[in-house]
Each structure stands twice: as structure tokens, then as C-alpha cells.
Amino acid sequence: MKRKIYEELLNWKNSNDRKPLILDGARQVGKTWILKEFGREEYQNVAYINCDKAAEMKGLFFDYDINRLIRSFSSISGEEIFPEKTLIILDEIQEIPRGIASLKYFCEDANEYHIVAAGSLLGVRLRSMKKADDESDFGTGFPVGKVDELRMYPMTFSEFMEATDNHMLLQQIQEHRWNELEPFTAKLTDLLRQYYYVGGMPEVVLKYVENENLKEVRKIQNRILREYEQDFSKHVPEEILPKLVMVWNSMPSQLAKENKKFIYGVAKKGGRAKEFEDAIQWLINAGLLHKVIRVNKVQRPLKFYEDIGAFKLFLSDLGLLGAMVDVTAKEVLTGENYFSEYKGAFTEQYIAQEMVASGNQLYYYSKENSPLEIDFIIQKEEVYLIEVKAEENLRAKSLRSLYEENPQTKPCRFSMASYKEQEWMVNVPLYLAAEWMDAEE
């Protein structure tokens, strides 16, 4: 399956100032597969080591003698390692903090070796290392400034189109002749419905492509959710585990609310910010949730106007959201009002994960005791005000009001209506949202 991150990996390989790479991302988003595929296509050979399964790795980093480490990697992987020609993959590296720290020495003393570290829950380990920022225990600190970092996400809608053999239609979208896509609205809407149900977890997409067995799709989604819950039990500190489970289980209810601001009381009656902060951060670090912070002004730079006490949370994958609430395939694929049901929960989830996967920092705008709210805000050369509609509803009172107060912004609406450039805003069909935003550079 073709993944966009392949091009980023290729850019890393060919960079003149390449450093060891850390590839982060939630469990099951395809990190191991893409690295092996990348190594197979772009290198003479691949030295792959699973640090969790190779017992020898646990005691390997008693010092950082690079020549000794390379010989050891070669012995464990069974592959001869050549500078520039071999891709070294250290998978599940979060199990060995000293292995992460060793990347500093590969950067400084042996940059001719191409080495990538990856793993499940790596984000949690990296966060703790960065937060501690303490190398008093020799060589166990995070290698600040000595690594390149990439984050991998579930498959986007465009990657789903590619996987389902809609290459020509995707090519037309990528040519950016938006008005010429009107005849393909029914086909693109049907594909979007499929994506809403299947989501972007690669194993799920692959199974769907193989036989379109929707029961198998849901079976794999539920298995992935169980594996996440097993990770909670194994890896989450005991003091935050109950609160983390409350947050995780509350997510469908949080997203179903008209105002999707995260409400602690939905997770636990009487819940307060302080008791849930660590639990929420763990889920974010693990790549399972995306956090969208409120801003109280829509001016550049948005970072100045963050209200960090108010935020929305979204899941990493809308297929998993569907599995959590057990929506049926019939509801998604043929339901007359599916896009507008559940208060647009799936549609905002879809836009959030599409925008995040495209590298956008998301915000939203609202006022206390006011119905005025803008679903998402993105800062590029201009500040984009984004209203998300789950149907063809073209009313945009909040959007217009905020634009009239801030005419320097660029308003747009993502909806099921056709592409249309109006006097003061642009309407973009949901299936074009990510590609249109990427083109706005």
C-alpha cells in the first residue's frame, strides 16, 4: 500500500544533514511495514532488530562504542552492515532507553550509517525522557538536536483511495481543478462513506481491499481496541490508569456533544482538570488522541492566544470510533442521514485527523456564554477559519460573524455541498478537504 510518509523517508535518506531518525506513531499505523518496505526498495539490504524480542539488545548499550554496536547489530540481525547502503531498523526501541540515547553517538561519530528507531508507545517514552532532560545517569537522556523525527498516522482518505484502486480519480483531485470534479460527486461520496466505516488502520484497509468483508473489518477494529486496552494495563502507571480508562471510554460521548469542548464531568461526575491531566497527556503521547486547543483571538501568531484550559480531543482514527460505538455498516454505507447524524461527530473527527496527518496545527475558537464557535482554525500564510458541516447546509452564521470582525482571515466551509468560491468564503466538499488545504500554501 502506498503511504505518503514514504516521500518523507526518501527526503531523509537523501538529506545532506541527515541524522538518525525516530519514527513515532500509535500502535498498528504501519511503522514496521513502511520501514521494511522503504529499506527493501531504497537500500542494498536491511538490518532489522526487534528490541523487545532480541534478548541480547537489553545489555548491549553498556557503552557507546559504535564499531562494537555495529558488529552486534550485524550479528543479531544476520545481515552485514554497510555504510550508506544498509538501513538499520531498531524496532520497539522504547524498551531500551539507552538505545535511544545511543542515537546521539551515531549522529556525532558515525553518520555514515543510516539508522531508524521506531516502536509502539515510543511517544510515551520520548516524552518522559524529554521531560526529565537529565543525563546524570550516563547516556540515558534524550539526544536533543541529534535526531530527526517523523510521526506516522493512520491512512488518510487519499491513501485509502489509492489502496482501493481509485488511482485515476485521485490523480484528478491532485490536479486541483476543483470545479471539474462535480460529475464524480456520487462516487467520491460513496468512497468517503466507505472510509468512515473502514478508517485508516492499514491492517483493516488491507482486509477490506482483499474481500470487502465488513464483518472482518469490524473484527480487526475491535481487536486493535482490545490491544490498546491491554497496553493501558501493561504500561500506564497505576496512579493514572483508572482516570485514563475513564477518559478513553468517554470519548464517544465527548464527540457526540454539540459543543465538543472536553468536559471532565463526562469522564467522571465532578471530575476536575488536575486529576485528568496526566491521563490525557499519556493518551496523546501514545498517539491515540489529538488535542485541539482553543484560541481567544484569530490573529497571527495563534500561539499567542491559546487558552490551554479549554480544548477538544479527537481519536486517531474514525474507523475505531465507529467500532467503539458499534455503528453498523448499513448505517454508514447506505443510511440516508448518516453524515448529519451523531451531531456531526464523525465528520469533525474525519476533518481533525485529515488535517493533523497533513501536518497542520489545529485550533478552534469559541466564546464563553456565546453560541459563536468556529470548529477549526489553521495558521498558514493566512489564518483559515474552518466550519465543518456534515451535510449540504450552507448557513454559516458564526463563520460570517467572525470573518466580519476579522476580515484579514480566510473563511472556508467543509461540507457535502459542491465546490464553490463565494464572495467572502470558499465551500470545499469533505472529500477534497485535505488536498485543498495542502494546496493553500
Side-chain angles (χ1 to χ4, degrees):
M1 292 186 291
K2 192 173 180 180
R3 301 298 304 269
K4 287 182 179 179
I5 201 169
Y6 193 99
E7 290 301 316
E8 296 182 70
L9 291 169
L10 199 56
N11 291 338
W12 168 77
K13 176 181 186 288
N14 296 327
S15 173
N16 290 329
D17 58 352
R18 185 197 67 257
K19 302 171 184 175
L21 178 65
I22 290 177
L23 180 62
D24 191 13
R27 176 194 282 275
Q28 299 280 5
V29 296
K31 299 184 295 297
T32 300
W33 181 86
I34 195 66
L35 288 177
K36 287 183 174 180
E37 181 72 5
F38 176 66
R40 185 178 67 82
E41 292 289 334
E42 306 296 338
Y43 289 84
Q44 178 177 304
N45 64 327
V46 178
Y48 174 83
I49 301 172
N50 185 317
C51 298
D52 192 30
K53 293 182 179 178
E56 305 94 328
M57 293 292 287
K58 305 295 183 183
L60 200 61
F61 298 94
F62 56 84
D63 68 18
Y64 296 120
D65 180 334
I66 297 300
N67 291 329
R68 180 184 62 78
L69 289 174
I70 290 295
R71 290 194 299 271
S72 298
F73 294 164
S74 181
S75 176
I76 294 169
S77 66
E79 294 281 344
E80 189 170 356
I81 295 175
F82 305 96
E84 309 288 345
K85 296 180 180 180
T86 302
L87 180 64
I88 304 167
I89 303 173
L90 303 182
D91 207 356
E92 303 300 343
I93 191 69
Q94 75 281 350
E95 300 296 327
I96 309 175
R98 285 180 174 270
I100 299 172
S102 75
L103 300 179
K104 170 184 175 180
Y105 302 94
F106 278 95
C107 176
E108 293 178 343
D109 303 328
N111 204 35
E112 67 273 19
Y113 291 104
H114 291 214
I115 184 167
V116 183
S120 304
L121 302 181
L122 179 54
V124 175
R125 169 62 71 179
L126 296 180
R127 171 79 178 189
S128 65
M129 291 178 74
K130 290 177 180 178
K131 187 175 180 181
D133 195 21
D134 179 6
E135 297 191 41
S136 56
D137 181 11
F138 171 69
T140 60
F142 181 79
V144 178
K146 305 298 181 180
V147 292
D148 294 321
E149 296 183 68
L150 288 177
R151 192 167 186 88
M152 194 171 181
Y153 299 95
M155 296 174 72
T156 62
F157 180 55
S158 63
E159 290 174 325
F160 178 79
M161 288 183 65
E162 184 82 40
T164 52
D165 202 22
N166 287 281
H167 317 288
M168 298 306 295
L169 188 54
L170 178 59
Q171 184 177 331
Q172 287 185 271
I173 290 174
Q174 292 170 339
E175 289 171 355
H176 298 169
R177 292 196 286 268
W178 314 119
N179 290 313
E180 296 179 16
L181 291 164
E182 179 70 23
F184 304 101
T185 296
K187 173 66 173 176
L188 286 164
T189 300
D190 180 60
L191 282 169
L192 189 60
R193 283 177 174 267
Q194 293 175 47
Y195 182 65
Y196 271 39
Y197 186 82
V198 176
M201 303 306 280
E203 184 183 358
V204 180
V205 175
L206 182 60
K207 179 58 66 174
Y208 181 68
V209 169
E210 284 177 353
N211 54 29
E212 295 191 3
N213 186 323
L214 297 173
K215 289 184 178 179
E216 280 297 308
V217 163
R218 182 50 50 84
K219 184 178 178 180
I220 297 170
Q221 289 169 336
N222 284 328
R223 194 204 74 224
I224 292 172
L225 289 172
R226 287 195 302 272
E227 289 174 353
Y228 285 170
E229 290 167 0
Q230 289 166 6
D231 282 341
F232 299 162
S233 299
K234 290 179 184 177
H235 302 289
V236 176
E238 288 185 12
E239 64 272 16
I240 69 169
L241 178 58
K243 291 169 283 188
L244 184 144
V245 172
M246 290 177 194
V247 171
W248 181 250
N249 289 338
S250 79
M251 284 305 301
S253 299
Q254 302 279 359
L255 289 169
K257 296 188 282 81
E258 192 71 46
N259 176 355
K260 293 177 177 58
K261 172 185 172 183
F262 185 82
I263 304 296
Y264 297 100
V266 174
K268 174 187 174 184
K269 188 173 181 179
R272 295 290 182 266
K274 190 172 183 179
E275 64 180 309
F276 285 101
E277 284 176 353
D278 289 345
I280 291 172
Q281 193 60 55
W282 194 98
L283 289 165
I284 293 170
N285 295 342
L288 302 184
L289 295 182
H290 302 309
K291 189 176 189 178
V292 180
I293 297 173
R294 181 167 69 180
V295 291
N296 50 41
K297 276 189 180 182
V298 289
Q299 296 178 10
R300 292 176 54 90
L302 292 174
K303 189 77 176 174
F304 279 179
Y305 306 108
E306 289 182 349
D307 175 8
I308 60 174
F311 55 89
K312 302 177 183 180
L313 293 177
F314 293 91
L315 294 171
S316 61
D317 179 66
L318 79 172
L320 296 183
L321 173 61
M324 288 177 80
V325 299
D326 199 25
V327 294
T328 66
K330 182 178 180 180
E331 286 177 290
V332 180
L333 299 176
T334 63
E336 289 278 331
N337 302 312
Y338 180 72
F339 285 103
S340 59
E341 287 174 351
Y342 311 107
K343 299 183 174 67
F346 284 87
T347 303
E348 279 199 45
Q349 167 66 42
Y350 162 71
I351 292 297
Q353 69 184 66
E354 287 279 287
M355 295 298 111
V356 169
S358 295
N360 296 295
Q361 172 66 57
L362 285 179
Y363 296 95
Y364 80 103
Y365 175 88
S366 69
K367 282 185 175 180
E368 297 293 346
N369 303 315
S370 168
L372 181 63
E373 179 173 346
I374 302 300
D375 299 312
F376 298 113
I377 299 175
I378 291 175
Q379 176 181 297
K380 291 178 177 273
E381 288 298 317
E382 299 176 89
V383 173
Y384 289 77
L385 310 179
I386 302 171
E387 185 170 68
V388 177
K389 294 288 187 181
E391 49 200 325
E392 294 187 26
N393 185 341
L394 300 184
R395 292 174 296 173
K397 291 181 180 179
S398 290
L399 188 61
R400 180 136 202 173
S401 296
L402 194 59
Y403 168 67
E404 289 175 349
E405 294 175 10
N406 301 272
Q408 79 282 2
T409 58
K410 187 164 184 177
C412 54
R413 178 180 52 232
F414 297 151
S415 76
M416 290 308 297
S418 300
Y419 182 83
K420 186 176 182 181
E421 296 181 8
Q422 298 176 224
E423 182 181 346
W424 63 281
M425 66 160 287
V426 181
N427 185 83
V428 180
L430 290 170
Y431 47 77
L432 297 182
E435 190 66 33
W436 181 83
M437 186 57 72
D438 284 349
E440 292 288 299
E441 295 291 351

